[in-house]
Amino acid sequence: GGNVVETVASICERLSSVEEECNALAQSEKKAVQYLAELDSLRVRFDELESELQGCLGEKEKLISKLEESEDSLNKCQGKIAELVKDRNSLQGLAENAKHSVSELQSEKRR
């Protein structure tokens, strides 16, 4: 009779042990499901950030292009300003010569 009791006790212990393992596996499965959901969420966020980054890189290229255009325009304007300053100086010189000539003519008229 002792053998049956020992066998039943042994089976109960194994059953208890299997139940603990099942509980542990169930907990692990829950955690795995949570981790997979988190992983999916992170992948979605990563894709969003990657898309945002591409947009920023495109924007950067446009801004670089605009900056280059602005620098070209600035250089052209500076060239035009230099030409206008030369022209103004030439005209001032001509005006001075004209005044001088008028003064000389007036002086000669008075004689």
Side-chain angles (χ1 to χ4, degrees), residues 19-31:
E19 281 176 348
E20 283 176 20
E21 282 181 40
C22 283
N23 286 338
L25 285 171
Q27 288 300 316
S28 295
E29 187 180 8
K30 278 184 194 172
K31 281 207 187 327

Side-chain angles (χ1 to χ4, degrees), residues 38-52:
E38 196 175 334
L39 182 62
D40 285 344
S41 167
L42 289 171
R43 281 190 180 130
V44 167
R45 184 69 184 124
F46 177 80
D47 289 344
E48 288 169 0
L49 288 172
E50 200 169 32
S51 174
E52 211 174 297

Side-chain angles (χ1 to χ4, degrees), residues 50-110:
E50 200 169 32
S51 174
E52 211 174 297
L53 176 64
Q54 291 305 316
C56 289
L57 291 174
E59 215 36 52
K60 177 186 166 194
E61 290 303 313
K62 284 183 198 170
L63 289 171
I64 287 172
S65 175
K66 292 247 185 239
L67 178 63
E68 288 168 357
E69 287 174 24
S70 296
E71 286 171 347
D72 288 346
S73 292
L74 178 62
N75 289 335
K76 285 178 189 169
C77 287
Q78 285 172 335
K80 294 242 186 230
I81 289 170
E83 283 177 37
L84 290 170
V85 166
K86 268 189 207 170
D87 291 349
R88 184 194 66 192
N89 291 342
S90 292
L91 289 171
Q92 281 177 340
L94 289 173
E96 289 299 319
N97 287 343
K99 276 186 198 172
H100 190 66
S101 297
V102 166
S103 293
E104 283 181 9
L105 285 172
Q106 286 175 346
S107 294
E108 283 187 27
K109 272 188 184 175
R110 287 190 196 123

